[in-house]
Structures are given as structure tokens and as C-alpha cells.
Amino acid sequence: MTATLANSVTTKPQKWGKSLTVHSGRVAGGFELRSRLSEQARSVWAKHDRDGEGWLPLWCHMQDSAAVAGLLWDCWVPERVRAMVGGVLPEGEVDGRRLVVWLAGVHDIGKATPAFACQVDALADRMRDAGLEMPYRAGLGADRRLAPHGLAGQLLLQEWMKERHGWPGRATGQFAVVVGGHHGVPPEQVALLELDGRGELVRTPGGSEGVWRRVQGELLDACAVEFGAQGRLGQWRGVKLPQTVQVVLSGLVIVADWIASNPDLFPYFPLEAGFDGGRRVAAAWRGLDLPGPWRPRVPQEAAPALFASRFELPPGAVVRPVQAAAVEMARAMPGAGLLIVEAPMGEGKTEAALAAAEVLAARAGAGGVFFALPTMATSNAMFPRLLDWLDRLPADGNGKLSVLLAHSKAALNREAAGLRAGSRQRVAAVDVDGAERLPKAGEEGAGPAELVAHQWLAGRKKGLLSSFVVGTIDQLLFAGLKARHLVLRHLAVAGKVVVIDEAHAYDTYMNAYLDRVLGWLGAYGVPVVVLSATLPAVRRRELAQAYAGVGGGEGRFAAVEQAREYPLLTAVCAGHDPVLGRPAASGRGCEVRLERLGDGLEVLADRLEAELEGGGCALVVRNTVDRVLEAAAVLRERFGAGAVTVAHARFIDTDRAENDRRLLELFGPDGSERPGRHIVVASQVAEQSLDVDFDLLVSDVAPVDLLLQRVGRLHRHQRPGRPVRLREARCLLTGVDWSAPVPAPVRGSEAVYGRHALLRSLAVLHPHLEEGRGLSLPGDISALVQAAYGEGPVGPAQWAPVLQEAQLVHEQLQDKKARAADVFRIREAGKDGRSLMGWLAGGTGDADDTRAGRAQVRDSPESLEVIVVEESEDGSLATVGWAGEGRGGLPLPTGSVPSPRAARAAAACGLRLPPRLAKPYIVDRVIAELERFYFESWQVKENPWLAGQLILPIRPGCPTLLAGFRLMYTRENGLEVSNADA
């Protein structure tokens, strides 16, 4: 049964003024608002059709919004969110529903003011004819900006609550701020005070002031009676709303408003005779067809049966101890909480997280899962795994489930695009505040789907409201950023289980945002699962305390940091001491011998030639793209072009995806196409989320946790037939001047990771390098990570002065990053009863998943992204010729709009330019030169793929000159950049 209106479906029998039920496609009850109002109150308008004569009276929009809010509460809001709201109100969830419906009903009361009503002459004249005098728009002039209708609505509602119902002024703000902030930003106190002193914007002075006051009160009185709040306001007066509840109420009102503001669903007046509010809402809800939340049940199977039913396990596979332990701990936790899973690479942490999420969601009443990963590439890899898991979940009465891949290039992902094309939604998505409208899906596939990419949820501000979301960590970190419509991000996560993968991969700046978000998730009671193979103990404690909302001096968390077992589970629940789980190791593992290798390119080539004499596959990981390309050039000369593959982040998107696919095909678990002898030269893209297996590893020195991730690609699978010389797992460490008194990493590595982290890594690895002691995996993982990130001395005594100097520089940099992150970070969840007013003061505006948006939560170098197209001798443009699946060589006319197929194919060829081209002293010149390829015919709404993008034309085999640099792009090497005069 889908969570939509259908014959014989009845919503939960809760009260909305009169009972609201759904039967035979009709919503009945609660639609008598118009009959309670005078002609003057009925004349107030709320919306108008800018392209025609249609309009919507305020009473009708109030009624529509309230009805939608009630349906959202009954059919869409997860149980966890309903329980949180109801938990602070005298009559629980029944009161919660009344409150949501009432606030949605009155959210636009600020439109019953001269400052708003004067905007459309014809509609203002109707109101004047009814006795509501007001100046013409020009008469109020720029002062109108002091009275946006959200702020005016908050002022009117607070006044009404005090004067009509005896509320103390301070108590009104925590409720009325929902009205004041329904356009995305809660007001600041100074704005409210300023408007309070400008009464002419709220009521026209003179004889008409009393009429305005009466109409405003009449509308609020009628809403209180009609929407069930009249008899409850006295009880609510003593309630202190937590800020978490204020946030989700604000989010629900915004969602209800946006749906009720969609003219495709709720047509404007004039309407046909026999207007019926119930049928109007029922038809709109049927047309929206919004999927309801996931409603899981706690699985009763033992771990082996559970994993066998939820995942496609290879023959002979057994459930690993850490997987079974994660499920059991999720079952045993006293309530919703944080579960940290630390286990070696390849132990099935992803499956453990999903299985635990199912248990935690069922116990907490969560309605979905948000899976956050470090990069777009890892998100893309995770998305089909999530879909497979969803397909294997028991139905348990769930209808359609909404699913989203959340990052800026998700539309180019095959699975995500296929899911959207297969969904049958046809309603336009409308963001009434941002004038965002997505085209109807018209001719896309009409087949029903159990998993749908619901089109109304496709807007950039609504996407995370889907039940199941896979996205980059940025999407979660945005929940800690002062940004417009932040309440929607919080509403989205408040009803889900959140999974955070690769928790070790984030720096101080990102962790500042992550910790703040964890604090809010803990306040919401959101279950969170954190995954890492190489998590420092101090970071483990920070995560636990951030979720619990306690400071660094809390003694009961000392054991969390002191634990050194591995694998390790940590559970944190509000009001309880942390619990540690110590599952047995799976028995998988290997010994890895570390060796030093000089940094010369010929030294590298000679060593590989010797090691691969009898065959074998080697992975060479370099810390910068320039080092990747330099090494690949030398190795191709020695071994031949066909024996060397390059992988790094400076390929266009389609090529990078193909590179990953080919690496998995050649070096993945199957191994059927594994070459006899081959070398892959890669940057950090080989560190994570690629299940590849090599016989030999050569790596630049890196922070020890990341180096261990690279080592995890060495002898990853049991593979018979490895060359005799390579049957012992070995990692050759390079990128270091080993002859210096203290080993000195190359400059490029220091620029990426900092000297401190690299020296600490070398220090803890020194015994393994000096004494030839094997590196035991997974046995040594935790010990190495904790030593490298701990505060104790490491390395030989003569290294101490250099290490101390590097540490001082490192600490100063971390302090700087922490201060920088705090500028736009939201404050911690406030005390009960503290209004959200000023919550986003000094914010960033919108938080978008764009280069600029991601820079707000990532401390990474600025870069420019371009779309690469191919330029012919005559200057005409086309999509790059080697793009597969019929996407190559499609014409891109510059004097007209390219075809949708060609534009989409071109957009799939995005490329991030290196940071050196975005430095402040050159970025303006780079952009100016790229804007030579700005074509007016492409800047239209019919061309969303290319409008506003920077275009980089290339000619195969020929360099492109850009701002004094020579750019060469090839399918084999990606983008190579050099000085034009070199």
C-alpha cells in the first residue's frame, strides 16, 4: 500500500479541529474556514498568477497549507519525528499534530498587512473596496523591506497570543518564530523591534487601523478554532519547546507551504462553481503521490541468516565477528545512539552498517537512512549497493520508498538517472521562495517502481527529504552551516539513521562542522553509525562526546579514548555510560614487509623491472598528480605504454568512471582478466572504495592511517598463482630523502599533508623499516594509528627537535582552521524554550553543492571546474570523440541550443582544474579567457546542463594555452599542465 490517497484508506484518527479522514479520494472535515470569516477577511489575497488573472485568497491558502500539514504528519513524517514533537506537549502526538496544522495554517498571516497587500494593484483595490484602506505601493516605498510577510506574521501572532490568550511575551517567540522563519531564515530580534515601531506597515493608520486589526484577529481566531488550537493554547502556554522541535516544526511548515503553493496541485481562483476544499486537497495529495517513510521492523533472524537475506554474499562466505557484533550491539543499545565501528579494510563494515541501521531504525522509529561518504566517486560506488540492499528488505507494509543520490553530478550517474526515468511522478517541483521549477517528466518511462526518485523531492533544497540518501559528507556538514533553509536539512536527518563512512578522512576544519552536526543529531535522538579502519583514539572520544553533547572534561569518556583493542565497537546513548564491544578478529590478515626506496625515477623503474621480472601487478601511489605523470612517463618508456595505467583525479568525469571500472575489471576480486604484468600509477584515488588487489605496492610516504589504507590494496584477496617473488606482501616507501639526518618527505607531499603528519608516520614505522620487522595486518593497524596521532614521543631521540618544530607549526595551523570553521558554524542546540530567533545571523546565504558551496565546509584549495569539449580545425565544437555509449562527437552548435542528448553528454565531461589555476593572482585571468567560450544561445533554461558553465575546448594532440599555462588532455594521462614558456 503506498502512502498516498486511495479508496478506503484512513489516516491515523487524530483530531484536526474536526476529524480529518481520507476516503474515496476525498478529504473530509476542517474546511469551514471561509464560513467563519467576514467579507473583509475573505478579501485578503495571498498569491497571484504573474502571467494571468488568477489569484488565491489568504483564507484558501491557509486552509490548503493546514490540510497538507496534517497529511504530511499522518502519511509522511517518520515516527521518530512525531514522537519528538509530541514528547514535549501535554497530549503527546495528538497535540503535535494540532500544533503543526495550526502553525501551517497561520504561517502567512503577515500577508494581511498593507506592506504586502499593496503589491498588486487589482487585488489591493478589491481589499480597499471591502474597507481595508492602504497606501499604494509607491507610497510605502523602500520601507516595505522592513516588513517581509514572515516577520510581520511573527509580530502579529505574538501580539495575538499575548492579547487574546494571555501569554507572556517571552513564551510566544518559541512558537511564532516558525511563522517568522518560514522563508528559510528565522528573524533577528532587532528586525522584530524595528518593525514593531513602524505600525503603518502592519496596519494603515487612521480610521482603517481598527479594520485591519479586526481582520487580522478574525483570521487568527478562525484558524485557532478551525485547526484545533483554540482549546489547547492555554495548555501550550507553559510548554518550553526545545530548539530541535522548533526546527522540525519550521521545516514541516515550509514543506506544507511549498506543496500548497504549487499551482499544478492547488489551482488559483477563479474556480469552477461548487468549490470543495476537501476534494481540492484530496486531488492534490493524489497528484503529489508523495512516498511515505520506511517502516522497518526489528529483524528477528540471527546474524548469519540476516546477512544472507540482505546481501549477495559470495559462495562460502561467513559473517565476520565484527558484523555480528555490530548487529547485536544495535539490538542491545538502551535507546537511539551513536555506534562507532572500527575494523580492518575488507571486513564488511558497509554491510555491518546497513544491518545495524535496519535494527536502529526499527527501534527508534526512523524513516530512512542517509549514507555519507568522502567523495562523489565513493558515493557513486555506494549507490547501487544501497539499491541492492533496499531490494532485499522485507516489504513489511512499506509502499514506494524515495531514494536519492546527493551530490552535484548525481544526474550523470547511470543508476540515479535510471531510477528517476523509471519513476512515474509527473508533478513539477516548485521552490516558491527561490523560483525554482523543474520540468515535468513528460515522456520519461511510466512504469511503476517500488524505489522511486520522486520528482517533487528533486529540488536542491528538498532532495535530502527523500527516505534513502547516499551523498558526499558535504551534504551532512551543511547541516552545521548557517545557511538559508537549514531547517529542511535538519528535518531531513532528524527522521533517519545517519551512516558516516571513512570517518578518519576528514581534517580539523571539516571535523569542526561534523562535531557540531553530531551534537544536533544527538539532541534529535538520531541513530548514527560511524565507520573507520584507522580512527585515532582521541578522535573516537571527540565523536562520542560531540554526539553526547558533553565537554572534554567528562570522565566517563576516558575509557573510550584508552581502548586499544581492534576491531572495536563503541556505543553512546544519552543518559548512559559508553559501552565498548571487542569482537574477535576474523582471522584474515597478512604480514607486510616495509622497505625504503630512493626517490629517483630511474631507481623506481629499475626496482620494478627486477620485481616484475617473473610477472605480477604493481600499484604505485604518488601524492600529487604531477608525480603520477612523471613516474608514468618513465615507466612507459621502460615497460611499454600498454603495461602502464594512470589513475588520478584530473580526468574528466566519464574517463575517471571508466578508469575505476577498468581497474575493478582487471584487479578486482574476480581476477579473470588480470594481466600477467602491469603497473598502475595512481594518486590518492586508489586509497579507498576500490576493491582492487595488487602483488606489490610502491607508495609515497603518507599519514599512517592513509598509508595503511593503501596497504589494504596489497594481497587483498586470496589469489593462487602469484609470482614466486611477490608471494610475500611488500610495500616500498618512497617520496623521501632517506639520506637526511631526519628523513625529509618531498615538497609536494608536505604541501598536501603537512610535515608533522608525515614525520609522525615515519617515526612509528621506523622500527619496521630499521629492523625489518613485518607489519602485521590487521594486528598492527590500531597500534600504529594511535601512536602516530597520540601525544607521546615517537621515533629516534635525535629526531625530537625536528618533530617538535613540526608539531608547533601543525598546532598553530589547526587552531587557525578551528577558528575559521567557527565563523559560519551554527551554535549548539539551545536550552528548552530558547527561541530560534537569530539562529542563522551572519550566515552564508544558500548552501549549495557547488564548488563555492563545498568550500564552505571543506578546507581545501580553491579550484575551477570546466566542461571539456572538442574543437575542430574550423572552430566548431562537439562532445569529446572517445566518449562511449554514443555520446562522442555529438555537435554542439554555438549559435543555437544544443540538443538535450549532446548537452548532457558534454556535461558528463566535467574536469577540475588544478589549484594553481585558481590562485588569487591568476584566477580572474583564467576565468576571463575561458569566458571567450560563453555562448548566449546556451544560457537558457532549456539548456540546464551547460548554462552558466565554463567551457574548455581542446584539440586532440594539441596543447591549449590558458593564462600562461599549457594544458594537454589525453585519454591516457588526463590533464597535464605546464608553464607555457617552459
Side-chain angles (χ1 to χ4, degrees):
M1 180 71 68
T2 62
T4 58
L5 296 183
N7 291 343
S8 73
V9 177
T10 305
T11 64
K12 294 180 71 173
Q14 302 182 27
K15 297 297 183 181
W16 172 44
K18 297 181 174 62
S19 62
L20 171 64
T21 58
V22 179
H23 58 87
S24 302
R26 175 185 171 92
V27 179
F31 293 98
E32 299 179 11
L33 186 62
R34 184 177 187 276
S35 66
R36 300 181 185 276
L37 300 173
S38 66
E39 179 183 355
Q40 290 172 324
R42 293 198 301 268
S43 74
V44 179
W45 67 275
K47 297 183 179 296
H48 75 104
D49 184 355
R50 296 180 182 181
D51 300 321
E53 297 182 357
W55 70 291
L56 200 65
L58 179 57
W59 67 263
C60 188
H61 183 55
M62 286 176 153
Q63 187 169 277
D64 293 342
S65 300
V68 170
L71 289 167
L72 288 172
W73 181 271
D74 294 336
C75 304
W76 181 75
V77 175
E79 177 187 337
R80 166 73 244 154
V81 176
R82 292 200 307 266
M84 180 179 63
V85 175
V88 300
L89 296 170
E91 293 191 5
E93 291 187 31
V94 175
D95 257 359
R97 189 183 194 282
R98 291 186 185 117
L99 181 56
V100 167
V101 169
W102 174 61
L103 288 173
V106 301
H107 80 276
D108 264 353
I109 185 61
K111 291 183 175 179
T113 60
F116 178 86
C118 71
Q119 294 179 93
V120 178
D121 290 340
L123 297 175
D125 285 342
R126 292 174 61 99
M127 293 175 63
R128 292 185 182 102
D129 292 342
L132 287 163
E133 291 297 328
M134 71 190 84
Y136 286 89
R137 181 170 184 169
L140 289 176
D143 288 350
R144 283 188 56 257
R145 64 180 175 79
L146 300 176
H149 73 267
L151 180 66
Q154 177 169 340
L155 182 69
L156 291 174
L157 184 60
Q158 288 189 242
E159 179 185 86
W160 177 83
M161 294 170 80
K162 288 186 290 185
E163 295 179 357
R164 300 283 183 100
H165 295 275
W167 281 49
R170 189 163 190 169
T172 62
Q174 57 182 330
F175 289 79
V177 72
V178 175
V179 170
H182 80 266
H183 277 281
V185 179
E188 296 182 42
Q189 186 68 37
V190 65
L192 196 66
L193 292 173
E194 189 170 6
L195 178 59
D196 193 32
R198 298 294 302 273
E200 74 278 7
L201 299 173
V202 179
R203 302 179 182 101
T204 302
S208 186
E209 181 178 356
V211 180
W212 277 103
R213 184 180 294 274
R214 185 176 66 251
V215 164
Q216 292 160 351
E218 190 179 336
L219 286 164
L220 288 171
D221 289 342
C223 286
V225 173
E226 189 68 20
F227 305 141
Q230 179 68 24
R232 303 303 304 147
L233 286 163
Q235 293 292 316
W236 294 346
R237 181 169 52 197
V239 171
K240 291 185 176 181
L241 289 184
Q243 287 193 329
T244 50
V245 172
Q246 295 177 51
V247 169
V248 298
L249 288 172
S250 298
L252 285 169
V253 168
I254 289 173
V255 173
D257 180 29
W258 284 1
I259 294 172
S261 297
N262 187 329
D264 292 342
L265 299 173
F266 292 90
Y268 288 172
F269 283 26
L271 298 175
E272 65 279 1
F275 170 78
D276 185 319
R279 290 189 181 278
R280 171 182 171 87
V281 172
W285 193 251
R286 269 198 311 275
L288 182 63
D289 196 21
L290 194 64
W294 182 36
R295 296 181 178 89
R297 298 176 183 174
V298 178
Q300 300 303 311
E301 307 98 309
L306 177 63
F307 278 77
S309 65
R310 301 297 192 266
F311 308 104
E312 186 175 356
L313 303 177
V318 296
V319 175
R320 307 245 165 79
V322 72
Q323 294 176 319
V327 172
E328 292 310 311
M329 186 165 276
R331 285 174 168 155
M333 291 169 68
L338 169 72
L339 177 62
I340 303 174
V341 180
E342 297 173 66
M345 298 73 75
E347 283 290 286
K349 291 189 293 296
T350 296
E351 289 76 13
L354 291 174
E358 182 179 356
V359 174
L360 293 169
R363 296 187 63 212
V369 174
F370 176 38
F371 209 115
L373 300 109
T375 64
M376 293 184 195
T378 53
S379 300
N380 286 338
M382 182 63 209
F383 192 60
R385 298 175 68 181
L386 180 90
L387 296 181
D388 289 343
W389 173 67
L390 289 174
D391 281 336
R392 293 170 178 270
L393 288 176
D396 283 346
N398 288 302
K400 295 183 299 183
L401 297 173
S402 53
V403 188
L404 179 79
L405 177 61
H407 61 67
S408 61
K409 297 185 179 180
L412 303 174
N413 178 273
R414 295 179 188 176
E415 288 84 2
L419 191 64
R420 186 171 181 185
S423 301
R424 55 181 179 173
Q425 306 306 324
R426 295 293 173 266
V427 65
V430 177
D431 173 351
V432 296
D433 190 46
E436 171 189 352
R437 179 183 291 271
L438 299 178
K440 294 185 179 180
E443 57 281 353
E444 292 180 351
E450 286 301 306
L451 302 178
V452 299
H454 194 282
Q455 191 173 351
W456 190 84
L457 294 171
R460 61 190 172 91
K461 297 179 181 179
K462 303 185 291 288
L464 295 188
L465 296 170
S466 300
S467 294
F468 294 91
V469 179
V470 174
T472 58
I473 188 67
D474 311 84
Q475 297 290 345
L476 183 62
L477 299 185
F478 283 148
L481 183 71
K482 293 179 181 178
R484 194 174 183 86
H485 288 113
L486 181 62
V487 293
L488 292 180
R489 290 188 180 274
H490 280 234
L491 176 63
V493 296
K496 293 183 175 67
V497 177
V498 173
V499 181
I500 302 169
D501 199 8
E502 308 284 4
H504 58 273
Y506 312 123
D507 63 15
T508 298
Y509 188 90
M510 297 173 72
N511 282 334
Y513 281 98
L514 180 56
D515 289 352
R516 185 56 47 85
V517 172
L518 282 173
W520 278 86
L521 294 178
Y524 288 121
V526 170
V528 177
V529 182
V530 172
L531 307 177
S532 178
T534 52
L535 189 67
V538 66
R539 185 67 191 133
R540 181 195 308 140
R541 175 174 177 154
E542 289 170 353
L543 291 168
Q545 292 191 170
Y547 183 86
V550 298
E554 191 73 21
R556 62 196 176 103
F557 286 88
V560 173
E561 184 175 346
Q562 293 164 2
R564 290 296 184 268
E565 293 84 359
Y566 190 75
L568 182 69
L569 303 178
T570 306
V572 179
C573 294
H576 298 269
D577 289 340
V579 175
L580 298 174
R582 300 170 173 87
S586 68
R588 295 172 65 254
C590 67
E591 291 282 323
V592 178
R593 182 151 59 89
L594 297 181
E595 299 180 24
R596 299 180 180 91
L597 181 67
D599 194 49
L601 293 174
E602 292 300 325
V603 173
L604 172 65
D606 290 344
R607 184 63 179 270
L608 287 174
E609 189 169 31
E611 297 289 352
L612 303 180
E613 183 179 4
C617 300
L619 172 63
V620 179
V621 182
R622 318 284 270 184
N623 290 340
T624 67
V625 175
D626 287 344
R627 283 177 60 81
V628 169
L629 296 173
E630 290 165 359
V634 171
L635 294 176
R636 281 176 174 148
E637 288 183 6
R638 184 74 65 93
F639 294 92
V644 178
T645 295
V646 167
H648 55 71
R650 215 182 286 167
F651 281 88
I652 62 176
D653 293 328
T654 52
D655 290 348
R656 184 170 175 182
E658 176 60 20
N659 291 347
D660 288 351
R661 186 198 66 78
R662 186 62 175 158
L663 288 175
L664 286 169
E665 186 175 71
L666 295 178
F667 308 106
D670 177 71
S672 60
E673 296 192 35
R674 191 177 182 88
R677 185 169 82 159
H678 202 88
I679 302 169
V680 174
V681 189
S683 67
Q684 294 89 337
V685 298
E687 270 177 21
Q688 56 198 11
S689 300
L690 279 178
D691 188 7
V692 288
D693 168 57
F694 290 89
D695 304 312
L696 177 69
L697 173 66
V698 181
S699 175
D700 282 350
V701 68
V704 72
D705 51 334
L706 304 183
L707 184 61
L708 289 169
Q709 294 283 345
R710 299 175 188 182
V711 172
R713 273 65 191 158
L714 182 62
H715 288 214
R716 187 178 179 94
H717 300 292
Q718 296 296 324
R719 193 179 301 284
R722 292 193 197 275
V724 174
R725 185 178 177 88
L726 303 176
R727 288 180 184 171
E728 178 188 26
R730 282 177 295 148
C731 171
L732 311 182
L733 276 184
T734 187
V736 179
D737 178 1
W738 297 107
S739 65
V742 176
V746 297
R747 183 180 301 175
S749 295
E750 286 196 4
V752 174
Y753 296 116
R755 193 180 188 198
H756 172 71
L758 297 177
L759 289 180
R760 294 282 297 192
S761 180
L762 287 168
V764 299
L765 295 173
H766 184 264
H768 297 275
L769 290 164
E770 191 68 22
E771 302 166 14
R773 199 168 79 208
L775 187 65
S776 177
L777 300 181
D780 286 336
I781 290 178
S782 183
L784 287 170
V785 171
Q786 308 319 328
Y789 286 94
E791 296 180 354
V794 291
Q798 61 268 29
W799 292 19
V802 177
L803 282 166
Q804 290 170 2
E805 179 186 354
Q807 181 176 355
L808 179 61
V809 173
H810 169 75
E811 290 174 349
Q812 291 172 342
L813 180 60
Q814 300 316 299
D815 288 344
K816 180 179 178 181
K817 289 183 176 183
R819 289 194 302 271
D822 207 42
V823 173
F824 294 118
R825 194 172 55 156
I826 61 172
R827 59 181 180 244
E828 296 174 349
K831 296 180 180 179
D832 293 357
R834 179 179 177 182
S835 169
L836 279 180
M837 289 187 68
W839 189 43
L840 304 181
T844 64
D846 283 326
D848 297 328
D849 191 12
T850 61
R851 175 185 59 83
R854 291 187 294 272
Q856 294 169 339
V857 292
R858 286 185 186 255
D859 183 35
S860 54
E862 282 287 330
S863 62
L864 291 174
E865 192 160 326
V866 298
I867 290 177
V868 175
V869 301
E870 195 168 320
E871 185 179 26
S872 64
E873 292 293 336
D874 62 6
S876 60
L877 303 181
T879 59
V880 294
W882 60 85
E885 300 181 347
R887 297 181 297 189
L890 301 178
L892 295 167
T894 59
S896 59
V897 180
S899 70
R901 180 184 174 198
R904 183 186 179 101
C909 295
L911 173 69
R912 187 166 296 176
L913 298 179
R916 75 182 85 165
L917 292 177
K919 296 292 185 183
Y921 57 82
I922 198 172
V923 65
D924 290 342
R925 179 181 172 187
V926 171
I927 293 175
E929 293 190 16
L930 289 172
E931 285 180 342
R932 290 181 299 165
F933 304 98
Y934 176 93
F935 307 112
E936 288 289 349
S937 58
W938 292 13
Q939 315 306 316
V940 293
K941 64 181 181 180
E942 293 81 10
N943 186 35
W945 298 105
L946 299 179
Q949 301 297 318
L950 295 172
I951 307 298
L952 177 66
I954 63 170
R955 294 187 181 184
C958 298
T960 298
L961 296 180
L962 178 64
F965 289 90
R966 180 182 291 108
L967 278 57
M968 174 71 79
Y969 189 92
T970 62
R971 180 63 189 88
E972 297 74 26
N973 283 339
L975 182 68
E976 299 176 76
V977 180
S978 59
N979 291 327
D981 55 359

